[in-house]
Amino acid sequence: MYKHVALLVRKDGLSHEEFVDYWQNNHTPIAREIEGVVRYQQVLPTEPDHAEFDGLAELYFEDLEALHDALGSEGSRDYDPENGKAKEAREDVDNFLAVEERPRFIGEEIVQKDEVDGNTDGLYKHSAFLVRQEGLSHEEFVDYWQNNHTPIAREIEGVVKYNTVIPTDPENAEFDGVAELYFEDLEKLYDALGSEGSRDYDPENGKAKEAREDVDNFLAIDERPRFIGRERLVKAEE
């Protein structure tokens, strides 16, 4: 499944609450009907005052070409769809988003662990937008991440679902990948991965400690945005 993740930053003059109200009640009814979208989920920050972004919008497509037609190709923060709901949604984002401050990521999702049968609605989610360490190629980064780090991270205490997302066009992507860890309990998430607003964290034991020690082998931690929120399912086609 191909996925477009937009890291949303509100427009100047809007409070976080005003942003969420417009996003949920005005923009979402348009975006959920964009041509080709088979699943649409949103993530709202658990602690907005400390979050780096106001929310995440995640739209899934079965076909990469359909994604590009609707939302633009990798590397372009802006896009200009010519018709349909995609065009309507693009025109509407100027009402509530700071488009130039909104990173985006297009990738292919790989499910590494799933104890909830794909039902993530209402779960707490830690999304790490990964940047490789200096001296590593993207290919070397992916190899280490998938084969060395993932077997540790998928066993972190409390994790009920774990996805990795690899960019479809690495040369033009803003990040080398996205790691998504889901928890049923927010405190377990904080214990394992730190609280909102902290890019770094220092778990004291278990697989969380082992995973934290391992990230220094392949990640540029200071350049890695992270987002902790609660997921809301907007659309899911059977």
Side-chain angles (χ1 to χ4, degrees):
M1 192 81 74
Y2 297 100
K3 176 176 183 175
H4 177 280
V5 183
L7 293 74
L8 307 181
V9 178
R10 67 183 182 270
K11 195 172 177 177
D12 277 348
L14 287 183
S15 68
H16 174 74
E17 292 72 24
E18 290 169 333
F19 161 86
V20 171
D21 180 68
Y22 190 95
W23 180 30
Q24 301 279 313
N25 297 310
N26 295 74
H27 186 74
T28 294
I30 303 170
R32 72 190 306 275
E33 301 304 326
I34 289 174
E35 294 77 8
V37 172
V38 296
R39 183 180 176 92
Y40 176 26
Q41 57 204 30
Q42 300 171 341
V43 191
L44 291 171
T46 53
E47 296 185 26
D49 289 344
H50 297 122
E52 297 191 38
F53 307 99
D54 289 283
L56 304 181
E58 303 181 346
L59 288 88
Y60 289 78
F61 296 75
E62 292 183 347
D63 181 84
L64 185 58
E65 186 175 349
L67 188 160
H68 286 163
D69 287 345
L71 300 172
S73 59
E74 192 71 81
S76 169
R77 289 202 181 194
D78 206 357
Y79 52 98
D80 190 24
E82 296 179 355
N83 49 52
K85 288 293 181 181
K87 177 178 175 64
E88 187 178 346
R90 171 60 192 95
E91 292 170 347
D92 186 59
V93 297
D94 290 330
N95 292 319
F96 71 111
L97 287 184
V99 172
E100 293 181 356
E101 298 177 31
R102 180 208 65 171
R104 64 201 291 269
F105 183 87
I106 296 171
E108 185 170 8
E109 184 178 277
I110 302 169
V111 178
Q112 303 286 356
K113 179 178 185 176
D114 186 0
E115 295 182 351
V116 293
D117 196 27
N119 182 15
T120 56
D121 190 32
L123 294 184
Y124 296 98
K125 178 178 180 178
H126 177 281
S127 299
F129 296 87
L130 308 180
V131 178
R132 68 183 182 270
Q133 225 175 65
E134 191 173 350
L136 286 183
S137 69
H138 172 74
E139 292 73 22
E140 289 169 334
F141 162 86
V142 171
D143 179 68
Y144 190 95
W145 178 30
Q146 298 289 300
N147 296 310
N148 295 73
H149 187 74
T150 291
I152 303 170
R154 70 193 301 274
E155 301 304 326
I156 289 173
E157 294 75 10
V159 171
V160 295
K161 192 172 194 297
Y162 176 34
N163 303 326
T164 57
V165 192
I166 297 176
T168 54
D169 184 2
E171 290 186 4
N172 294 310
E174 299 196 32
F175 308 106
D176 288 283
V178 183
E180 303 174 335
L181 290 89
Y182 289 85
F183 296 73
E184 292 178 332
D185 183 276
L186 184 59
E187 289 307 312
K188 287 183 180 178
L189 188 160
Y190 284 164
D191 287 345
L193 300 170
S195 60
E196 192 70 79
S198 168
R199 288 202 181 196
D200 207 357
Y201 52 99
D202 189 24
E204 296 180 355
N205 47 54
K207 288 293 181 180
K209 178 179 176 63
E210 187 179 345
R212 172 60 191 91
E213 292 171 347
D214 186 60
V215 298
D216 290 330
N217 292 318
F218 70 111
L219 287 184
I221 289 288
D222 290 342
E223 299 176 31
R224 181 208 65 169
R226 65 200 292 267
F227 186 87
I228 297 172
R230 194 171 192 185
E231 194 163 283
R232 171 179 180 258
L233 182 63
V234 176
K235 176 180 182 176
E237 292 187 355
E238 296 296 333

